[in-house]
Amino acid sequence: MPDTHTLKARELGYDIAGRALLRDIRLDLPAGQVSALLGPNGAGKTTLLRLLAGLTIPSHGAVRLAGQCVCRMDALQRARRIAWVPQHLPADIPLTVAEFAALGRMPYLGAFTRPSPQDRAAVAEALAIVEMDSYASKRLDTLSGGERQRVAIARALAQQAPVILLDEPTNHLDLRHQHKLQLLLRELAAQGKTVVQVLHDLALAAEYADRVALLDGGKLTADGAPSTVLTPERLLAVYRWPVRLRHHAPQRAA
């Protein structure tokens, strides 16, 4: 897979009010794989994901994509290369489902350019993939939390960026859509995209991720294949609770 799509964090750190939230993170997140950021509450997962996205400026070190520091990219350049799915989508956004998903095409439109047939097709396809096409004319404020989450994912799909970062994307989804999303992420990785998600569900990570990065107290304790990282001994040390997972080869989309 192209190295140009690999996210590389080097000596990455983030401080706030004199307190280190992340320290000395060195991590490669390659194209063609689903990577999961794991760890207990307060471990620094979302902070790390925001740094990877260029939404937060690091206190130390850098995140690079194709040799470029992501936090120094202009907004348009970053939006063409990195798609971001937040943990929560506000309920009061005054847009329809189709209008919100169409925001994913903005990086490719000029200030006064109308969406092309290709743009409209990309939005329609994205909504169909997350099974929200029948909701296209509905307003976001009429949807459930899980439905809004699927629309947020559709916007990121319509963006067609080579890197997609998702912050706890399964939180509001029911069981079926959790697994369908993971299969979709595997399909995107198979297409050569760099896929990174924050997860709390260790079982989903063990089943679908190619690699995991385990954080604790703002430090990277281990990264690699789920079977080598998510051992009972390491999970006990990090989560302070006995955990035993069943590992097998990541699921593939049908």
Side-chain angles (χ1 to χ4, degrees):
M1 294 297 172
D3 188 62
T4 53
H5 297 165
T6 295
L7 279 171
K8 298 183 177 184
R10 293 293 183 268
E11 288 69 54
L12 193 64
Y14 184 69
D15 303 337
I16 187 167
R19 175 172 165 253
L21 298 187
L22 284 175
R23 288 169 285 178
D24 300 322
I25 303 294
R26 184 180 180 87
L27 188 62
D28 285 1
L29 299 162
Q33 293 189 11
V34 176
S35 300
L37 306 181
L38 309 175
N41 291 338
K45 303 182 297 296
T46 293
T47 299
L48 175 54
L49 196 72
R50 289 184 61 84
L51 289 167
L52 295 173
L55 299 176
T56 298
I57 298 174
S59 304
H60 314 281
V63 177
R64 289 186 170 84
L65 182 64
Q68 281 189 283
C69 183
V70 297
C71 68
R72 293 180 182 171
M73 294 178 182
D74 63 52
L76 180 61
Q77 183 185 25
R78 193 165 59 239
R80 287 178 175 176
R81 302 182 72 179
I82 302 174
W84 168 263
V85 179
Q87 184 178 157
H88 303 290
L89 194 64
D92 58 353
I93 298 174
L95 296 174
T96 67
V97 165
E99 289 168 343
F100 185 80
L103 295 178
R105 302 304 302 162
M106 293 300 292
Y108 308 101
L109 300 177
F112 302 103
T113 306
R114 298 178 65 84
S116 68
Q118 291 79 10
D119 293 315
R120 290 190 288 272
V123 171
E125 181 182 11
L127 289 173
I129 287 172
V130 299
E131 299 178 346
M132 290 298 292
D133 45 329
S134 62
Y135 293 72
S137 62
K138 291 186 178 293
R139 284 176 54 103
L140 285 175
D141 56 12
T142 68
L143 304 182
S144 69
E147 289 166 342
R148 287 197 300 274
Q149 188 70 1
R150 285 153 57 195
V151 177
I153 294 165
R155 178 186 63 175
L157 295 177
Q159 202 168 327
Q160 296 179 334
V163 178
I164 180 168
L165 308 179
L166 308 96
D167 190 9
E168 299 191 30
T170 61
N171 265 10
H172 302 289
L173 301 182
D174 59 32
L175 185 64
R176 173 174 174 269
H177 284 105
Q178 287 181 18
H179 286 272
K180 283 184 69 68
L181 172 60
Q182 295 304 313
L183 289 171
L184 170 62
L185 297 182
R186 292 211 57 77
E187 184 177 325
L188 294 174
Q191 295 168 10
K193 292 184 184 291
T194 303
V195 180
V196 186
Q197 59 179 328
V198 169
L199 281 179
H200 270 297
D201 191 322
L202 298 178
L204 282 179
E207 184 171 358
Y208 291 103
D210 294 292
R211 64 187 298 121
V212 297
L214 187 60
L215 299 168
D216 188 23
K219 292 183 176 181
L220 181 64
T221 64
D223 78 284
S227 59
T228 61
V229 171
L230 303 180
T231 63
E233 297 78 16
R234 186 174 284 123
L235 293 177
L236 176 60
V238 169
Y239 287 93
R240 286 80 170 170
W241 193 259
V243 181
R244 186 174 296 275
L245 297 172
R246 184 176 301 171
H247 298 281
H248 43 77
Q251 294 288 323
R252 299 287 172 180

